[in-house]
Amino acid sequence: MKYNKYILFLILGLLGSTAYAQRDQQGFDREKYESARVAFITNRLDLKTEQAEKFWPIFNKYNEDKEKLMRNMSAINKESDGDVTEAKAKELINKRFTIQKEMLDLDKEFMNKVTSVLSHTQALKLGGANRDFVRRIYRMNQRGDQRDQN
């Protein structure tokens, strides 16, 4: 099991660094990003093969749905830029609350589904693992940008 973790970290490192090293030449490589995220989260949660097979489709669907809601929220934020009437402001506030409720409902539904596959402990660690992955990629990207400027 120790060797599996080292291999996953190696894969993560290679994929992550390759994805960001080549970003200037080819743009963002979503496939490499997703592969690295899968390896990182699988390792961090110590997912067994049978868990991973059931977990990733649930997680991917959740991310798709959440991204749609985030795009809707972003559109509302853009709409609120500049001068808006009181009536329009009230409408946009209500739209925000509706989307926030949809996000909460989505989170609850996801947690119900995912805890049928993962332990509650693993499910709890998921949020932290996902944030840690994003932070790691962000830091790698920053280091790459700093090297480019020197």
Side-chain angles (χ1 to χ4, degrees):
M1 186 53 103
K2 270 187 173 179
Y3 294 110
N4 289 342
K5 288 182 181 183
Y6 293 122
I7 291 171
L8 285 174
F9 275 120
L10 179 63
I11 291 170
L12 170 66
L14 291 173
L15 290 174
S17 62
T18 302
Y20 282 98
Q22 295 179 354
R23 76 185 191 296
D24 291 333
Q25 299 163 0
Q26 301 171 345
F28 179 72
D29 191 334
R30 185 144 185 99
E31 188 175 317
K32 287 182 182 179
Y33 174 86
E34 290 300 328
S35 295
R37 182 169 69 160
V38 167
F40 186 87
I41 291 174
T42 298
N43 183 53
R44 182 65 66 92
L45 298 182
D46 195 25
L47 296 180
K48 308 299 179 239
T49 304
E50 56 277 358
Q51 283 180 306
E53 289 172 357
K54 295 175 185 174
F55 167 75
W56 285 107
I58 296 169
F59 185 79
N60 291 335
K61 174 72 168 110
Y62 166 75
N63 274 337
E64 284 176 29
D65 293 345
K66 191 161 187 167
E67 283 179 18
K68 286 178 191 173
L69 291 172
M70 294 302 291
R71 282 192 298 274
N72 292 342
M73 186 66 82
S74 179
I76 290 171
N77 291 337
K78 286 178 185 175
E79 213 176 326
S80 68
D81 286 345
D83 294 331
V84 293
T85 64
E86 280 296 308
K88 185 66 172 178
K90 183 178 179 179
E91 175 191 336
L92 293 174
I93 289 169
N94 288 330
K95 283 183 177 181
R96 280 185 185 158
F97 283 135
T98 298
I99 292 172
Q100 288 171 342
K101 183 184 180 315
E102 289 173 2
M103 285 182 181
L104 180 59
D105 291 344
L106 179 65
D107 287 347
K108 287 179 180 179
E109 179 185 343
F110 170 70
M111 197 52 62
N112 285 333
K113 287 180 181 178
V114 85
T115 53
S116 70
V117 174
L118 305 180
S119 71
H120 285 84
T121 304
Q122 287 173 310
L124 185 61
K125 290 178 181 179
L126 175 60
N130 203 30
R131 277 189 304 279
D132 289 348
F133 175 73
V134 171
R135 279 188 202 120
R136 181 169 289 188
I137 295 297
Y138 179 75
R139 286 183 191 130
M140 288 170 59
N141 191 33
Q142 280 186 317
R143 284 192 301 264
D145 287 348
Q146 290 170 356
R147 278 187 236 130
D148 291 343
Q149 294 172 359
N150 291 330

